[in-house]
Amino acid sequence: MDELTVSGSVENIIYTNAENGYTVLNLLLDEEKDDTYICCVGFLPDIVMGESLTVVGRRVRHPSYGDQLEVISYKKSLPVTEKAIERYLSSGIVKGIGKRMAKKIVDKFGRDTLVIIDTEPHKLADIKGITIAKAQEIGAVFREQGELTRAVMFLQEYGVSINYAAKIFKKYKETTIAVVQKNPYTLADEVWGIGFKTADGIARKMGIDPDSPYRIQAGIKYALSYAAASGHTYLPEDVLVGQVSELLEIQAETVNQNLMSMHVSNEIWIENADVRRIYLNFYYYAESYIAKRLVEMSRDRDVDDPFVDMEIKNIEKNEGIKFAEGQLRAIKSAMTEGVFVITGGPGTGKTTIINAIISILAQQQNVIELAAPTGKASKRMTEATGHEARTIHRLLGTASLAEGSLHQRFTHDEEDPIDADCIIIDEVSMVDVPLMYYLLKAVAHGTRLILVGDADQLPSVGAGNVLRDIIASGQIACASLNEIFRQAQQSAIVTNAHRINHGQYPDLGDKTKDFFYMQRGNADALLDTLVGLVSERLPRYLDCEPLDIKVLTPMRKTLLGVQNLNTLLQNALNPPAHGKAEKEFRGVIFREGDRVMQIKNDYDIEWTAVDMNGRTIDSGTGVFNGDEGVITVIDNANKALEVVYDDYRHVAYDFTNLDELELSYAVTIHKSQGSEYKAVIMPLLGGPEILMTRNLLYTGVTRAKELAVLIGSRESIFRMVDNDLQVQRYTGLSLRINEFAALNKA
């Protein structure tokens, strides 16, 4: 659609959101005729009636409000006509100046009014009703308004959107222009949403030297941050130098020079080992702290409990079970070790062991805390144990981000640890280095920590490979469960998952009740089958709702990727309807009734939990990566929507924060970690080798609680089983645990 440029003065402001600057206003295009208007909508922070605007936008048609101009960019200038100046001053920009006072001021100073207010505000005191103090206040407010205008206009010249310009000004206020002119790369470090490439684009337009230390050091931090987002806690020096040289198109020698200066100034950490490892400081300190605390806790052993055998026998008698030898050893070790790891695949008895440990500890009057990384995992832990489990974030107690920091703070830490005798964490394969760091900081000395998980699952989405690294160190007591128990052997989900994990092909011909394979040779036929399964066949078969069924895929793009699948499933399960509000954001339509997922940790967003009568029973802050819920309300008038999450938290999102959400009728297998769904459908018909791997298939199958359906070709499934590619993660936790263990022995 073609862009349109219009100029005029702000006649009236219909709506504005003070938090994000979203505004609906009428622009008077012809001051003389006084009747030519256009309605403008978009991010126009701190616009005041009477101001002159030049707006670039696209014509859109709102179903209720008719033709509008959607603002892409704008420039504003002070009003120049007496009529516009009077409207500007009477807009409420200065408390205490109403229409009558505005008219008095303009009648006295005419077109020079705004110059007087800016440079000689004391002259306003010549007007009856304005004191010297009031005159100075008017001048100060006017200048602050001008600072925002200048900052937004300055940033727009360098391609920064209005929305981000407002965020930047909120961070730096009157120093905005000075900060950006000195070092635009500061934005990438300190303003959420402004990445290195945006900052680099600003710098290029400002004429900053491509070999500037600011640019090179920002590029180094960007490469390390990107690596962390890909799971690495560090990069080998040669890998990092190569990436930065290619990114910035500079010589490797120049990168090396800047690495040393950054190390000296404590901006990064260089570890001089056999291979020089380059860390962002936080990850080096976090790995070191985790290793130190785990080693300390592993040395804090209790004497053997003489009553534990009797307590185990009582559990066996009461529950009508008989523990296997491996389970007995695990239970007894958990009673004596300061930190203990229990790992094993589905059906190997992890939950049985946890329940036994809880029972024994409860009899001994121990205070026990249960937690898991996600809301779904904690809910499942609660159902399996009969004891309340929380997310790790809620166990730690989320607090807002420290000013100027991109790292989270929690209410529980070394100064105020969690009040518990034993903490049991499930689904530890999902826990990344930062979360484990914050957890261990909050574990009091003397508190027992039990870590439970499946080491063969995919590693965490965030940086690190915590569970595997702890086990690989050999320094932390661990029970590895391998025996599949008789009841679990009756499930083809469990038996096929173990076959896949051991490099054997799943039995695709077994028409059991909980595992099916459906052959489809092309994508179109596969998609038709998939939509039919989700919308009609499986809900009838399982007596469930379509939203209880999850489509898991290895990929984001292609016909069988998340993006296309979500569009197809949304159209089938939640099509447009009269009275059903929707909002388009960056090419994605969000609609009331849609299933959505939070895709980043937002520690500051507020939530409330309500009972059946709509009464608030709990409240707090924080929604986390992987949390899922349903959009219940889209309020286009107030530019907000509400999501009710699976644990009944109600969260309101401003439209500017919709980049935190995505549709989740289908999700990547990575994103499904820690979740369990009534039924799982996996479309598998080719794909890149790096994604079509054994542990990805294993993880997907084990997400199914009652039914797993694989659709596609045998060749694709067998290729995944054969492909035991483990994508290398550069992590140092295992090495660091061994280093601290050696020091502890010395």
Side-chain angles (χ1 to χ4, degrees), residues 230-251:
S230 301
H232 310 291
T233 56
Y234 74 88
L235 285 179
E237 184 180 35
D238 60 337
V239 173
L240 175 62
V241 170
Q243 289 182 0
V244 176
S245 297
E246 182 178 353
L247 173 70
L248 303 182
E249 297 180 338
I250 58 175
Q251 296 297 315

Side-chain angles (χ1 to χ4, degrees), residues 133-409:
K134 184 66 176 176
Q136 297 297 345
E137 180 187 347
I138 292 170
V141 171
F142 180 81
R143 284 189 291 274
E144 183 179 354
Q145 180 76 13
E147 285 164 359
L148 171 60
T149 300
R150 285 190 291 275
V152 171
M153 297 302 105
F154 169 79
L155 291 166
Q156 280 194 128
E157 288 181 17
Y158 296 103
V160 180
S161 71
I162 302 167
N163 190 21
Y164 280 124
K167 284 186 178 182
I168 293 167
F169 184 80
K170 190 175 181 181
K171 170 77 177 174
Y172 299 113
K173 299 293 185 184
E174 69 278 359
T175 65
T176 296
I177 295 175
V179 167
V180 176
Q181 285 178 328
K182 180 181 178 182
N183 179 12
Y185 296 102
T186 302
L187 302 177
D189 285 339
E190 298 183 353
V191 181
W192 176 261
I194 301 289
F196 170 78
K197 292 182 179 178
T198 299
D200 198 36
I202 296 171
R204 283 200 307 272
K205 290 177 182 177
M206 293 177 65
I208 290 179
D209 187 344
D211 286 336
S212 162
Y214 287 141
R215 180 173 188 260
I216 296 167
Q217 293 178 20
I220 290 168
K221 288 182 181 178
Y222 169 75
L224 289 172
S225 297
Y226 187 84
S230 301
H232 310 291
T233 56
Y234 74 88
L235 285 179
E237 184 180 35
D238 60 337
V239 173
L240 175 62
V241 170
Q243 289 182 0
V244 176
S245 297
E246 182 178 353
L247 173 70
L248 303 182
E249 297 180 338
I250 58 175
Q251 296 297 315
E253 183 180 348
T254 307
V255 180
N256 278 312
Q257 291 169 354
N258 280 272
L259 284 174
M260 289 311 301
S261 65
M262 292 176 75
H263 180 61
V264 170
S265 61
N266 201 33
E267 292 183 75
I268 60 171
W269 184 268
I270 299 179
E271 185 179 27
N272 289 302
D274 50 341
V275 174
R276 295 217 320 170
R277 303 181 180 93
I278 317 296
Y279 283 86
L280 289 171
N281 280 340
F282 172 78
Y283 290 104
Y284 177 77
Y285 296 138
E287 276 192 347
S288 299
Y289 184 88
I290 292 168
K292 181 173 180 291
R293 284 291 287 127
L294 288 175
V295 170
E296 289 172 350
M297 293 168 69
S298 71
R299 301 292 182 259
D300 190 13
R301 300 183 77 256
D302 285 341
V303 296
D304 290 343
D305 181 353
F307 300 105
V308 71
D309 287 330
M310 181 182 68
E311 290 166 331
I312 290 173
K313 283 184 173 20
N314 286 337
I315 293 171
E316 289 180 323
K317 180 180 178 181
N318 293 334
E319 299 296 327
I321 58 175
K322 180 70 176 175
F323 292 115
E325 282 301 315
Q327 291 179 310
L328 288 171
R329 286 194 299 271
I331 296 167
K332 291 179 181 179
S333 295
M335 295 298 104
T336 58
E337 298 290 344
V339 57
F340 187 60
V341 176
I342 302 171
T343 184
T348 56
K350 297 191 297 296
T351 300
T352 302
I353 293 171
I354 293 172
N355 283 332
I357 292 168
I358 292 171
S359 177
I360 294 169
L361 290 173
Q363 288 180 37
Q364 297 173 355
Q365 305 300 308
N366 282 280
V367 177
I368 309 162
E369 287 284 2
L370 309 183
T374 66
K376 281 237 177 176
S378 62
K379 184 178 179 182
R380 196 169 73 249
M381 193 180 190
T382 299
E383 293 168 350
T385 63
H387 293 260
E388 182 189 4
R390 293 183 278 175
T391 64
I392 298 173
H393 290 91
R394 293 194 72 184
L395 175 66
L396 293 174
T398 55
S400 60
L401 285 172
E403 185 67 30
S405 172
L406 295 179
H407 295 298
Q408 173 59 19
R409 292 186 302 111

Side-chain angles (χ1 to χ4, degrees), residues 473-724:
S473 73
Q475 301 295 333
I476 308 301
C478 176
S480 184
L481 308 174
N482 300 307
E483 181 181 352
I484 308 174
F485 290 93
R486 184 177 301 170
Q487 185 176 359
Q489 289 176 355
Q490 297 172 10
S491 166
I493 293 174
V494 172
T495 56
N496 278 320
H498 282 277
R499 288 175 67 87
I500 291 165
N501 197 35
H502 294 136
Q504 301 169 356
Y505 299 147
D507 186 350
L508 301 182
D510 183 8
K511 299 298 183 184
T512 60
K513 291 183 178 180
D514 68 351
F515 189 95
F516 290 96
Y517 164 67
M518 304 178 74
Q519 183 168 339
R520 296 295 183 273
N522 65 75
D524 289 338
L526 189 156
L527 291 172
D528 285 344
T529 301
L530 184 147
V531 171
L533 285 169
V534 176
S535 59
E536 296 178 9
R537 294 170 63 181
L538 293 189
R540 284 200 306 266
Y541 179 71
L542 295 171
D543 189 23
C544 68
E545 296 297 320
L547 292 184
D548 293 326
I549 301 161
K550 187 66 68 179
V551 177
L552 304 181
T553 175
M555 296 164 287
R556 292 198 62 82
K557 298 182 180 179
T558 76
L559 285 174
L560 302 184
V562 164
Q563 295 173 359
N564 186 54
L565 288 170
N566 271 317
T567 300
L568 290 175
L569 291 168
Q570 182 191 47
N571 290 338
L573 301 177
N574 191 32
H578 179 70
K580 186 183 290 185
E582 57 184 49
K583 165 65 180 173
E584 183 178 357
F585 183 81
R586 296 182 182 176
V588 176
I589 294 175
F590 292 103
R591 189 173 293 135
E592 289 175 347
D594 275 338
R595 186 80 175 162
V596 292
M597 176 183 282
Q598 176 82 10
I599 59 172
K600 67 178 282 288
N601 290 339
D602 187 332
Y603 300 100
D604 293 330
I605 196 166
E606 297 179 352
W607 56 263
T608 57
V610 300
D611 63 16
M612 297 295 289
N613 298 314
R615 293 175 299 200
T616 299
I617 57 174
D618 196 6
S619 62
T621 59
V623 181
F624 305 104
N625 189 0
D627 288 353
E628 287 190 78
V630 174
I631 297 174
T632 54
V633 177
I634 295 179
D635 184 349
N636 281 297
N638 290 304
K639 310 303 172 189
L641 61 76
E642 181 185 72
V643 176
V644 177
Y645 282 94
D646 291 343
D647 54 3
Y648 312 113
R649 289 173 298 158
H650 292 238
V651 180
Y653 288 83
D654 188 274
F655 280 177
T656 58
N657 292 329
L658 292 186
D659 55 352
E660 297 183 9
L661 294 175
E662 64 180 28
L663 297 175
S664 66
Y665 299 100
V667 300
T668 62
I669 297 173
H670 258 108
K671 283 288 188 183
S672 73
Q673 291 178 88
S675 297
E676 187 176 66
Y677 306 101
K678 195 177 189 76
V680 161
I681 303 173
M682 297 175 63
L684 302 170
L685 193 62
E689 182 181 12
I690 196 169
L691 292 177
M692 305 296 284
T693 63
R694 181 187 301 172
N695 70 337
L696 204 74
L697 180 61
Y698 171 73
T699 300
V701 169
T702 56
R703 298 308 89 200
K705 183 178 181 180
E706 295 184 20
L707 179 66
V709 180
L710 308 186
I711 314 177
S713 70
R714 292 173 181 269
E715 291 75 18
S716 294
I717 296 167
F718 293 167
R719 184 160 63 90
M720 292 182 79
V721 175
D722 292 337
N723 182 15
D724 194 24

